[in-house]
Amino acid sequence: MKLLYLVHFNSPVGGLHENVYASALFMQSKGCEVTVVLKEGILQQRLENRNIRTVTTDFSHINSTIKEIEAEDETYDLVHFHPGPSRKAGYFYGRKYDIPMVMTFHGMWYDSLPTYIDDLSMVVTVSEGVKNFLQAHVDKGREKYALIPNGYDSGLFDEKRASKLQDAINIGLVSRLDQDKMFILEIFQKALEHLRGSTSHKLRFHIIGDGKLTDDFLENWRTLLKNTDHELEFKGWLEDTELKEAYLECDIIIAPGRSVIEAMACGKPVIAVGSKKYIGLIDHENWQEGVYSNFGGYGHKFEDYREGMLEAALNPLINDDSLRKTLGEFGHQIAVNYFDANQHNDRLYNYYRILSLAYDLKK
């Protein structure tokens, strides 16, 4: 099967990139020929290093993007795209060559879906919350939806280990540091403001991520910790084994979406805060809400947040090592049972096969 993926992004790295990267590698492992249309950059290089064909474009014009795809002189059995400029080019390419079209939605954006859902073969959502959001805005095509959550690489992240950095309690923030993640960054700042006066434990904050706002936030956060015994370490954007090791160095993780899942797979207690909602410490009370919303990808930011929620989550974690271990094990079981990426990508692969067979029947 020959698959064409199209993905547009503003930030050079992020969860969207990991979604496409994981799917492309899995489909390649199943014997598919995969081509990914995207901007030049880190993701393109990672894909090419794994022998995935790429077509580079700036997505500035639909027709030019289609011509760049056609220049490869390949035919495809199915096209799978994501919202924004990649959707526009992918949709017109799929219509032109009359092949099945699949689209994935990651959050609260329906991207004019009512105008073209009739032409899509399948609408993939990463959470039940995103699916319900779309269906509230689109009153047709409900039979086309498939829920395929973000997942973690069970061959990489499924490793539980206590932090070796036992001279302090290590708290990790895992997020891009960009404008669209501002809610997450503001919540983390609340954590620093609350914990900076702590004298019962030395704290070390690990910043795992990067973005356009990095310098501003690092300066502010270092100023907050000045004249305290606490430390702040900037790790930058990490991938694969380096990212896993960064999770394992931490005792507590604050993160959104996919990073929550990866941290739970590593047996770490997680305070989930997405770009749209604060979920909180993943425990017996809210884990289903986290799963429903892709750990904060669906919500209304500070409208959903009540003052004191973060502090109430942090205090027992800081003071109770056994609670950290218990919640880490609980989160690990959630990750293993709900978010193994191989299982979800295998479902996606089988959907592709069915859609391709259905297309042959139509012909």
Side-chain angles (χ1 to χ4, degrees):
M1 191 184 311
K2 293 185 177 182
L3 305 174
L4 180 66
Y5 286 3
L6 292 93
V7 57
H8 173 268
F9 41 79
N10 293 314
S11 173
V13 292
L16 170 61
H17 312 60
E18 298 303 318
N19 179 292
V20 173
Y21 182 73
S23 294
L25 291 187
F26 183 88
M27 299 309 160
Q28 181 190 56
S29 75
K30 300 293 283 188
C32 299
E33 295 182 30
V34 183
T35 298
V36 182
V37 183
L38 74 173
K39 295 192 293 186
E40 288 183 300
I42 296 171
L43 178 58
Q44 174 215 354
Q45 295 164 7
R46 291 177 70 197
L47 289 166
E48 291 182 352
N49 287 341
R50 300 297 294 270
N51 297 315
I52 300 287
R53 180 191 292 125
T54 65
V55 175
T56 57
T57 181
D58 61 8
F59 291 102
S60 58
H61 300 285
I62 294 172
N63 288 337
S64 62
T65 299
I66 291 175
K67 287 179 181 178
E68 287 161 343
I69 298 170
E70 293 171 334
E72 296 294 313
D73 197 27
E74 289 283 349
T75 59
Y76 299 98
D77 299 303
L78 181 145
V79 58
H80 187 157
F81 43 83
H82 299 258
S86 58
R87 183 268 297 174
K88 296 176 183 178
Y91 173 75
F92 280 100
Y93 185 90
R95 285 288 302 272
K96 181 175 181 178
Y97 290 97
D98 189 27
I99 57 177
M101 293 185 284
V102 177
M103 184 173 180
T104 294
F105 286 85
H106 302 263
M108 294 175 65
W109 184 24
Y110 60 92
D111 200 22
S112 304
L113 180 59
T115 64
Y116 54 86
I117 190 170
D118 291 336
D119 297 317
L120 298 181
S121 299
M122 180 169 286
V123 177
V124 174
T125 66
V126 300
S127 72
E128 193 75 25
V130 172
K131 185 184 80 171
N132 289 345
F133 171 81
L134 291 174
Q135 291 184 345
H137 290 84
V138 184
D139 59 1
K140 56 183 176 178
R142 296 197 172 202
E143 73 281 0
K144 296 186 176 185
Y145 286 80
L147 173 59
I148 301 181
N150 286 315
Y152 75 99
D153 182 349
S154 56
L156 177 64
F157 291 103
D158 196 359
E159 178 180 343
K160 296 180 290 182
R161 188 198 313 154
S163 172
K164 298 177 182 177
L165 307 175
Q166 297 179 357
D167 61 318
I169 294 177
N170 297 276
I171 302 173
L173 168 70
V174 188
S175 174
R176 283 192 290 108
L177 279 71
D178 286 313
Q179 185 66 39
D180 62 319
K181 302 298 182 184
M182 183 62 76
F183 178 65
I184 301 168
L185 304 180
E186 290 175 344
I187 290 291
F188 181 71
Q189 178 144 332
K190 282 180 172 288
L192 288 180
E193 291 169 349
H194 173 64
L195 294 173
R196 66 183 300 276
S198 174
T199 57
S200 58
H201 300 85
K202 177 181 177 180
L203 306 176
R204 183 180 295 111
F205 299 93
H206 302 245
I207 310 303
I208 306 164
D210 208 342
K212 295 179 180 178
L213 302 180
T214 297
D215 291 343
D216 291 341
F217 271 97
L218 287 182
E219 181 180 1
N220 187 28
W221 293 340
R222 286 182 173 131
T223 299
L224 279 174
L225 296 180
K226 191 175 181 180
N227 300 323
T228 73
D229 293 330
H230 310 315
E231 299 175 1
L232 187 143
E233 294 186 4
F234 174 62
K235 300 293 185 65
W237 185 265
L238 303 177
E239 296 167 348
D240 302 331
T241 301
E242 289 184 327
L243 178 58
K244 179 188 74 172
E245 291 300 321
Y247 286 126
L248 292 171
E249 283 185 351
C250 292
D251 302 294
I252 302 165
I253 297 288
I254 299 173
R258 176 186 294 273
S259 298
V260 172
I261 297 165
E262 293 170 346
M264 291 194 303
C266 291
K268 303 300 177 178
V270 184
I271 296 175
V273 49
S275 57
K276 300 295 184 184
K277 188 172 184 178
Y278 176 87
I279 300 297
L281 178 62
I282 298 302
D283 61 12
H284 64 289
E285 293 185 5
N286 68 356
W287 69 272
Q288 289 170 310
E289 181 185 5
V291 171
Y292 175 83
S293 69
N294 191 32
F295 299 99
Y298 179 84
H300 303 284
K301 301 183 182 180
F302 278 108
E303 292 180 27
D304 298 323
Y305 182 81
R306 297 191 309 276
E307 287 300 324
M309 293 175 76
L310 178 64
E311 293 84 346
L314 284 168
N315 290 341
L317 283 179
I318 296 295
N319 294 305
D320 191 339
D321 177 62
S322 64
L323 178 64
R324 295 197 296 270
K325 291 179 181 178
T326 299
L327 289 175
E329 179 58 36
F330 179 68
H332 178 76
Q333 290 302 317
I334 295 171
V336 168
N337 286 286
Y338 279 82
F339 295 107
D340 187 321
N342 283 335
Q343 295 177 11
H344 295 308
N345 278 318
D346 193 54
R347 285 179 56 223
L348 182 61
Y349 169 72
N350 287 323
Y351 283 140
Y352 288 164
R353 293 177 62 196
I354 293 169
L355 294 175
S356 182
L357 289 170
Y359 171 74
D360 290 341
L361 286 172
K362 184 182 76 170
K363 290 195 297 184

